[in-house]
Amino acid sequence: MEKRLQLWSPVWGWLATKEGESVDLKGQDLVLYETAIQEALEQEKLYYRKKSAPFNLMDYYDADDSVKEKVQNLDIQVKKEQDGLYVCASLALIEPLTQQELEAIQNFLSRQYEGGIFDTSRIRTYSVEEGEVVFDFSVDTKEKFSQKEVQCETQKKYEITSIAHPQFPWLHRIRALVDVNEAVPKGTLGGFVEYEQNLS
């Protein structure tokens, strides 16, 4: 079982009317935009990911400290809850974070939400009949992100097939069980391995 730490923070928003007024949007008003924001975020993640590797916001964590050693992957989603819209940062941990490391990752996320991955008009603004809906993803670092620990099954990416190597029959070919990336869709045959432990 893989352990993930989720850090949740609320999304804020307002309507900038054509008359120049600003109206705060709350709760279910924001939930209406969940799908649109998530789709725009997924497009942005395509630009952020390194080459053909899966998206990992830790690729942009520039501090040379123990956080890099402990956080294997950092994914971001926009999710709805009963009281509104939230950004959920999901961290795959190799080992638990100390309080100081947790604060470091929260500060990193706060910078990313204010001027990093969310700093694009595709995610922040939406035209409506009354004017323009504007979203704010920033988090005051004095406020704490709400935390959830979740256990999840790690999904296997590859399986070992019965196709043996012609010269070295103890090696067997692997096949992708999921879409690993654009170049390796589900079902693609790969190289040869001896044991399942050889697969990353």
Side-chain angles (χ1 to χ4, degrees), residues 31-116:
V31 167
L32 296 172
Y33 295 89
E34 178 205 10
T35 303
I37 295 173
Q38 186 60 44
E39 287 175 357
L41 176 59
E42 291 302 320
Q43 287 299 311
E44 200 64 23
K45 284 156 77 169
L46 291 175
Y47 293 107
Y48 262 71
R49 71 183 188 181
K50 298 280 187 172
K51 297 181 182 175
S52 59
F55 170 79
N56 184 0
L57 196 58
M58 285 304 293
D59 291 337
Y60 294 88
Y61 185 85
D62 53 6
D64 190 18
D65 59 17
S66 54
V67 174
K68 270 192 168 177
E69 298 166 12
K70 291 186 176 182
V71 182
Q72 190 171 30
N73 181 269
L74 172 52
D75 191 21
I76 306 238
Q77 302 287 328
V78 172
K79 298 187 176 186
K80 65 179 175 184
E81 293 288 305
Q82 287 184 339
D83 59 341
L85 210 54
Y86 286 80
V87 178
C88 172
S90 182
L91 295 80
L93 299 177
I94 294 170
E95 57 182 283
L97 299 175
T98 65
Q99 187 59 41
Q100 187 176 359
E101 291 165 342
L102 182 59
E103 287 174 11
I105 202 76
Q106 288 176 338
N107 287 333
F108 167 68
L109 286 170
S110 180
R111 292 192 304 273
Q112 285 294 319
Y113 292 177
E114 190 167 342

Side-chain angles (χ1 to χ4, degrees), residues 5 36 75 87-88 116 118 126 131 137 148 158 164 169-170 172:
L5 172 65
D75 191 21
V87 178
C88 172
F118 284 99
Y126 295 86
F137 301 91
K148 294 180 188 176
Y158 301 95
W170 60 90
H172 288 82

Side-chain angles (χ1 to χ4, degrees), residues 91-174:
L91 295 80
L93 299 177
I94 294 170
E95 57 182 283
L97 299 175
T98 65
Q99 187 59 41
Q100 187 176 359
E101 291 165 342
L102 182 59
E103 287 174 11
I105 202 76
Q106 288 176 338
N107 287 333
F108 167 68
L109 286 170
S110 180
R111 292 192 304 273
Q112 285 294 319
Y113 292 177
E114 190 167 342
I117 190 167
F118 284 99
D119 191 22
T120 165
S121 59
R122 285 194 302 274
I123 299 178
R124 286 185 180 271
T125 59
Y126 295 86
S127 294
V128 293
E129 190 176 329
E130 300 86 357
E132 201 166 59
V133 174
V134 182
F135 289 96
D136 183 357
F137 301 91
S138 63
V139 181
D140 186 345
T141 51
K142 292 176 185 175
E143 297 173 6
K144 295 295 180 189
F145 289 74
S146 59
Q147 300 176 35
K148 294 180 188 176
E149 274 197 14
V150 294
Q151 300 280 350
C152 56
E153 295 285 349
T154 52
Q155 186 178 20
K156 287 174 64 174
K157 291 183 179 179
Y158 301 95
E159 66 177 349
I160 298 177
T161 69
S162 59
I163 304 169
H165 191 284
Q167 285 182 286
F168 311 104
W170 60 90
L171 300 177
H172 288 82
R173 201 149 196 202
I174 63 172

